[in-house]
Amino acid sequence: MPTSRASLPAAIAVAFLVLFAGLAIRKWTGGAFAKYAGVALYASLIYTLVIAIAPRLSPWRAAAIALGFCWAIEFGQLSSIPASLARRSMLARLVLGTTFNVPDLFWYAVGIAPMAVADGGLRARALHRRN
């Protein structure tokens, strides 16, 4: 994960890879695996976007922001707004979802945690190389 604006292309590349993986899993698999893998990868994508926007955030702060965003989206599904928007736009459906699902709250954390750990490891490695 990037630690400066110079690494923005890397963050964007990772975001596209995560997005592609999520869409591929949803297309070529099914059932609970597809649903929860998609939820976890959505959260991974949000983490990557947070780092792309604010590369100097610590991994754990970025993880907290990404998780808060994902949870806000999920709790927003308790209203009728996301479902209404989803009926009009596939993009809204992909970004906002339609139905609140308690297990999604856990799977967001599952998607974010490995990204934050990898980000922290890459940053430590880069710092070690500089010293």
Side-chain angles (χ1 to χ4, degrees):
M1 292 293 130
T3 58
S4 69
R5 285 286 175 209
S7 299
L8 182 59
I12 292 170
V14 170
F16 275 108
L17 287 172
V18 170
L19 180 61
F20 176 76
L23 293 173
I25 285 172
R26 295 291 287 243
K27 179 178 172 105
W28 291 310
T29 67
F33 175 79
K35 187 209 181 330
Y36 294 118
V39 169
L41 286 168
Y42 172 88
S44 296
L45 175 64
I46 298 302
Y47 178 88
T48 303
L49 295 175
V50 168
I51 290 299
I53 292 166
R56 297 198 189 286
L57 285 175
S58 73
W60 299 113
R61 185 164 289 177
I65 291 168
L67 187 60
F69 177 86
C70 291
W71 284 2
I73 294 293
E74 191 67 29
F75 282 107
Q77 293 168 0
L78 291 170
S79 77
S80 62
I81 295 168
S84 174
L85 293 171
R87 283 191 291 278
R88 293 183 225 148
S89 165
M90 178 56 87
L91 182 59
R93 182 177 181 83
L94 291 171
V95 173
L96 301 176
T98 58
T99 308
F100 179 78
N101 188 26
V102 173
D104 287 358
L105 300 172
F106 168 76
W107 288 103
Y108 290 132
V110 168
I112 291 168
M115 297 297 282
V117 169
D119 186 13
L122 290 171
R123 290 178 192 218
R125 185 175 173 191
L127 183 61
H128 179 70
R129 283 185 179 168
R130 279 186 253 153
N131 294 330

